[in-house]
Amino acid sequence: MSAPRTPRRVASVIGLRPEQEARYRELHRAVPQQVLDTLSRAHITSYSIFLRDHTLFAYYEYTGEDYEADMASIAEDPATQEWWALTDPCQRPLDSAEPGERWVDAEEVFHLD
């Protein structure tokens, strides 16, 4: 029997438009089940989004074997696309984001199991 696979830890950040904070919170009180199911099928676990000073910090663990393919399956999902159409206007890319980039990866500088 092989040892359990260590999950890939992923953290990313994006700005939150101050005037959209209440809307963003409201949306996340009722994330559509189809969106949650898509994330689960793509091997996303322990997904959290935190907020501080109009900056959203997302963290999740990826337990699959083909990250790029699983991320593509999320992006292709119609329910997720509808969800993003609601949440994207609440967000603003950070100044350090590349053109067209939204959520940007955060570098892990410390971890304790």
Side-chain angles (χ1 to χ4, degrees):
M1 182 181 277
S2 63
R5 180 183 173 94
T6 301
R8 175 179 179 168
R9 294 182 301 275
V10 179
S12 56
V13 293
I14 196 168
L16 179 66
R17 297 181 190 283
E19 70 278 9
Q20 294 292 329
E21 181 177 339
R23 173 74 173 139
Y24 194 80
R25 288 176 181 274
E26 175 188 334
L27 287 167
H28 282 82
R29 281 193 286 273
V31 178
Q33 188 62 49
Q34 287 178 280
V35 171
L36 300 175
D37 292 345
T38 297
L39 292 170
S40 293
R41 278 191 306 276
H43 310 284
I44 302 295
T45 63
S46 298
Y47 194 165
S48 298
I49 299 175
F50 301 88
L51 173 62
R52 177 68 185 235
D53 297 333
H54 308 296
T55 301
L56 295 167
F57 172 85
Y59 172 84
Y60 60 85
E61 294 176 356
Y62 174 74
T63 59
E65 298 196 15
D66 189 343
Y67 184 75
E68 288 73 24
D70 283 329
M71 295 305 102
S73 72
I74 293 170
E76 293 166 0
D77 176 62
T80 300
Q81 292 172 0
E82 290 175 19
W83 174 248
W84 289 344
L86 297 173
T87 60
D88 283 2
C90 299
Q91 304 162 349
R92 60 168 181 73
L94 300 183
D95 294 340
S96 62
E98 296 293 324
E101 195 174 33
R102 297 199 49 77
W103 286 87
V104 292
D105 289 342
E107 177 186 3
E108 183 177 296
V109 295
F110 176 78
H111 177 77
L112 172 68
D113 275 328

